[in-house]
């Protein structure tokens, strides 16, 4: 007598135990501490915070640990935690012109007010495996400090490269925006297409880095004609301010590390605009240069409609780009195919069998007629 | 065939912009009236201040070189390009109450229903006007289903009837259009546009990408159908031979403006405007 | 075997989380969307779907709807593929047992709230019950028209002709409508609606159902509803009317001839049997047969 498979609960419990063991690995090896992850994998932490939409390096490190290093799973953990948090206040717009920069480069001008600051980067390194790191232990001296005195990065506003162009009227002024109008919030309102730029930028900020990278790359290779220049990339810390109702003026609640990119793109002019440069914008938590560059390219591509350009390439198609950009959504839906589909499959089986039977009968009928 | 759905009653809760009074010079028995239609691309003109009337059963040819604004005009007429000035007016059939409506102040549901039911658009490239991923029969049947046809057998027999009219073998009914030759695709597109019995058809270079021998056959077919159904048509073409064969009246366009218009024979045999003279003389006389 | 009594979860609500996981503001937002959905049957109401601790595509829409309507006195049943013991059903049932501390059951008739993926229970539902569907793709026009901006217009203007094109193609190619699940319906003569990937066998149950039917699509952030006793009509042609699947044989366990059957492969020599996909229905019938035999 056939008995339907039972025991789902036990199987699930055991599966989780097995994953726990897989995550921990050999118990003879010391467990990772959150501090180690936070301190020694800052770029992974940055990605998880950005796409998890929560600035908290310690929780991001915990998520990375719990996810056994699967960053998309870690992003998911952080998002699911974030969604339960109350919203206590909204911050003032961040003043990235007041950023204390650790890195600031422009590919469009050789020198500029504030100077080029190379800062920490993998750029110009030879990608050779450093076997010395394999032997690194508690007694290894820390990496050498940079030589010479640190560059004069005075604690004063560092003008944006794009503002210099704007002063000459060569680049499109960002629409000033209505200070009274509320900025869209994709965590409180579902995205409604066509989406305005505030909503698009929010979606891009939490979008999967790989997705943005591929789309940005496609726009450079001719699917969307972007003609970009990296106007300015800066990384550093920025103060976060809120205005508590009971005070009525802004107070600083802390500093966060950000990466920002402004791309400059050609534009031929439209019905209402003369030829000029236009911008693409990217912003992310932590050190995330690749992400913000890709984001800025995709942001610019998605402005095609606003600027009266043809929408011909995937990167210009906002429904295509934004609706598929969230890796928590994408990962869930792709992997839901693991769930049972017995019932639907049974429906398809029944249909296919019936169709095949009908066809076979029809063929048999034909054979019989002379 | 299912009776075409009627227009939604007026006074529906759709917001309509305030109506400007209708122009005073609308012909009583006209079908389409265009006044000062203007489209701009930046500082460049698409078409400027185009004015004409079209009567039921009349075929209007729009001729000119590429870049003269004739396709822009057609796209503006069919609502695929936003207009920067001027008006587009259409006389609704008597069983919908008759009278002129301004297409740019009509609510979108009404405009879409009207266009679906009363108008056809034959694109230069059949792939723009066909669903390449569904069969020829479904391509012809879709407009019927969109107007409410729900009897498979009826839809199928109408599709077969139209395949016959456009000289496509009935056994091709379940084939995908992408297995058809260019000429067949174009004939299928025509069938799809005419199956609902429209009053007005727009054609953009309908013989554009076809061989000369195929062109002649298609032109014959179009001329026969237009006569038989009493269709009004606006045909954009750069080919004066096509214009001579199909159009009752011609408008000649240059740099976005109409430089000459009149009866086809008159315009082609006795062109007044230097540009028309140049166009006519540049064609080999046959 | 007798019907198991509803089990009250032993551990109360998980610490640190609100009743049924979502905070009350979020629940209110979802309830507003549900009210709107009930007021416009079949219309997809956008809602600000939240990240849930379960992955998208695994029932987050259904879970959010359930979390918004569930109360402490509710008795919850969760099924996937008609069965209470499939892993995802177990996981979701456990989630609510943990976060809401509500009673759960496998018996359709005892449940006040049933969350389902891919099936409607065989036992007719009553006015005191709510059926919550998990929906992966809420837009029935999606396969003909991928653009939201365009499908929204098609719904607004009732331009549904293209849906029949698909059915036409089926008949032209196969001689019959070959869509076997996620079979599109028209609700209350107005909105075209996806019934979620339930087999078309279940479509007739939706028509004028006594229970409230709620549909949640988490990833796509849409909620829609069919109020009790509302007409739900499966699309068809006058000369090719809608029909449901049938089997040549009864359920191998309970002998039912009127239920949806799952095919079970019993060996590697082509041996197979057919059993009810609705495990509660099957068990109830077998219990009744045993009782009658004694």
């Amino acid at each position: 007598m056939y008995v339907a498979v039972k025991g789902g609960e036990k199987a699930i419990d055991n599966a989780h135990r097995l994953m726990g063991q897989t995550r921990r690995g050999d118990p003879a090896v010391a467990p990772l501490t959150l501090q180690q992850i936070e301190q020694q994998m800052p770029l992974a932490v940055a990605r998880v915070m950005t796409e998890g939409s929560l600035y908290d390096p310690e929780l991001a490190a915990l998520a990375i640990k719990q996810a056994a290093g699967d960053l998309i799973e870690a992003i998911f953990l952080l998002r699911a935690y974030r969604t339960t948090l109350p919203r206590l206040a909204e911050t003032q717009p961040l003043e990235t012109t007041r950023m204390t920069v650790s890195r600031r480069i422009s590919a469009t001008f050789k020198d500029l007010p504030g100077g080029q600051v190379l800062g920490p980067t993998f750029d110009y390194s030879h990608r050779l495996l450093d076997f010395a790191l394999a032997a690194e232990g508690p007694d290894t001296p820390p990496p050498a400090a940079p030589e010479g005195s640190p560059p004069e990065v005075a604690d004063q506003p560092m003008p944006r490269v794009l503002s210099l162009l704007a002063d000459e009227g060569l680049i499109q002024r960002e629409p000033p925006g209505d200070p009274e109008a509320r900025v869209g919030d994709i965590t409180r309102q579902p995205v409604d297409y066509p989406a305005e730029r505030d909503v698009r930028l929010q979606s891009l900020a939490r979008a999967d880095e790989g997705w943005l990278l591929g789309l940005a790359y496609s726009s450079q290779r001719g699917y969307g004609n972007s003609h970009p220049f990296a106007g300015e990339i800066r990384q550093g810390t920025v103060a976060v301010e809120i205005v508590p109702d009971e005070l009525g003026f802004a107070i600083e609640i802390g500093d966060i590390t950000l990466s920002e990119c402004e791309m400059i793109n050609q534009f031929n002019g439209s019905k209402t605009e003369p030829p000029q440069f236009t911008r693409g914008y990217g912003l992310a938590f932590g050190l995330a240069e690749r992400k913000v560059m890709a984001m800025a390219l995709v942001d610019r591509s998605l402005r095609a409609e606003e600027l009266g350009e043809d929408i011909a390439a995937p990167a210009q198609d906002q429904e295509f780009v934004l609706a598929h950009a969230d890796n928590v959504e994408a990962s869930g839906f792709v992997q839901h195919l693991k769930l049972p589909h017995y019932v639907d499959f049974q429906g398809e089986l029944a249909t296919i069998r019936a169709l095949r039977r009908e066809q076979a009968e029809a063929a048999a009928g034909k054979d019989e007629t002379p | 065939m299912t009776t075409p759905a009627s227009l939604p009653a007026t006074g529906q809760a759709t917001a309509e912009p305030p109506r400007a009074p209708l122009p005073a010079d609308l012909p009583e028995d006209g079908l389409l009236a265009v006044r000062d239609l203007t489209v701009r691309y930046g500082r460049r003109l698409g078409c400027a201040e185009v004015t004409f009337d079209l009567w039921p059963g009349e075929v209007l040819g729009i001729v000119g070189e590429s870049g003269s604004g004739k396709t822009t005009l057609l796209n503006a007429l069919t609502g695929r390009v936003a207009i920067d000035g001027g008006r587009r007016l259409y006389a609704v059939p008597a069983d919908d109450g008759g009278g002129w409506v301004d297409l740019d102040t009509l609510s979108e549901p009404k405009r879409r229903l009207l266009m679906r039911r009363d108008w056809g658009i034959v694109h230069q490239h059949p792939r723009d006007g066909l669903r390449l991923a569904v069969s020829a029969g479904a391509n012809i049947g879709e407009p019927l289903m969109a107007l409410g046809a729900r009897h498979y057998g009826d839809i199928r027999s109408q599709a077969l009837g139209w395949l016959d009219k456009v000289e496509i073998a009935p056994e091709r009914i379940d084939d995908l259009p992408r297995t058809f030759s260019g000429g067949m695709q174009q004939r299928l597109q025509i069938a799809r546009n005419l199956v609902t019995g429209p009053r007005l058809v727009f054609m953009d270079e309908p013989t554009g990408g076809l061989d000369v021998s195929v062109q002649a056959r298609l032109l014959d077919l179009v001329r026969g159908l237009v006569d038989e159904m009493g269709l009004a048509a606006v045909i954009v073409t750069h080919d004066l031979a096509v214009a001579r064969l199909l159009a009752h009246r011609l408008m000649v366009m240059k740099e976005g403006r109409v430089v000459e218009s009149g009866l086809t024979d008159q315009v082609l045999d006795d062109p007044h405007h230097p540009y028309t003279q140049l166009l006519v003389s540049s064609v080999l006389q046959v | 075997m007798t019907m198991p009594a509803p089990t009250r979860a032993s551990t109360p609500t998980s610490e640190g989380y609100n009743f049924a996981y979502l905070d009350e503001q979020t629940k209110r937002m979802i309830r507003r969307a549900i009210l709107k959905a009930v007021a416009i049957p079949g219309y997809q109401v956008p809602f600000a779907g939240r990240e849930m601790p379960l992955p998208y595509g695994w029932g987050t829409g259904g879970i959010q709807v359930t979390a918004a309507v569930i109360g402490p006195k509710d008795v919850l049943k969760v099924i996937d593929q008609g069965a209470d013991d499939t892993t995802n059903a177990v996981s979701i049932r456990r989630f609510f047992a943990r976060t809401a501390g509500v009673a759960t059951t496998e018996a359709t008739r005892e449940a006040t709230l049933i969350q389902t993926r891919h099936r409607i229970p065989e036992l007719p539902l009553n006015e005191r019950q709510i059926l919550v569907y998990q929906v992966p793709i809420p837009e029935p026009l999606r396969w003909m028209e991928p653009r939201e901006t365009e499908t929204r217009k098609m719904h607004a203007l009732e331009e549904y002709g293209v849906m029949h094109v698909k059915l036409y193609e089926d008949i032209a190619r196969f001689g019959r409508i070959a869509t076997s699940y996620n079979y599109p319906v028209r609700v209350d003569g107005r909105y075209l609606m996806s019934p979620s990937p339930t087999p078309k066998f279940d479509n007739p149950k939706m028509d004028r159902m006594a229970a409230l039917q709620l549909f949640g699509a988490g990833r796509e952030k849409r909620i829609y509803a069919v109020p009790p006793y509302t007409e739900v009509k499966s699309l068809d042609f006058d000369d090719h009317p809608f029909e449901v699947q049938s089997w040549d044989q009864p359920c191998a366990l309970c002998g039912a001839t009127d239920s949806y059957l799952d095919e079970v492969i019993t060996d590697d020599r082509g041996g197979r049997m057919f059993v009810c996909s609705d495990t509660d229905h099957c068990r109830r019938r077998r219990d009744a047969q045993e009782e009658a035999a004694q």
Side-chain angles (χ1 to χ4, degrees), chain B residues 108-109 112 116 131 133-135 137-138 142 145-146 149-156 159 173-174 176, chain C residues 144 150 153-154 156-162 164-165 167-169 171-173 186 236-240:
Chain B
E108 189 170 6
R112 277 170 78 129
R116 202 158 67 215
R131 274 187 203 278
V134 304
S135 68
E142 182 182 351
M145 293 184 260
R150 291 293 178 266
H151 191 284
Y152 174 82
D154 285 354
I155 295 165
R156 188 127 176 118
I173 186 167
D174 294 329
L176 296 183
Chain C
M144 302 305 282
E150 195 49 37
K153 266 187 200 160
M154 292 162 86
L157 305 176
E158 287 189 71
E159 287 182 0
Y160 293 148
V162 71
H164 272 86
V165 169
L167 303 183
Y168 169 96
E169 286 290 85
I171 301 173
R173 220 175 323 152
R186 197 77 186 262
D236 61 2
F237 285 104
D238 298 344
D239 47 345
H240 281 267

Side-chain angles (χ1 to χ4, degrees), chain A residues 7-8 20 27 48 85 92 172 179-180 207 210 214 236 257 307 334 336 365:
Chain A
V48 170
L85 298 177
Q92 295 294 99
Q172 192 194 30
E180 297 303 309
T257 306
L307 297 169
V334 165
H336 105 284

Side-chain angles (χ1 to χ4, degrees), chain A residues 2 177 181 194 216 223 228 285:
Chain A
Y2 166 78
Y223 288 80
F285 291 148

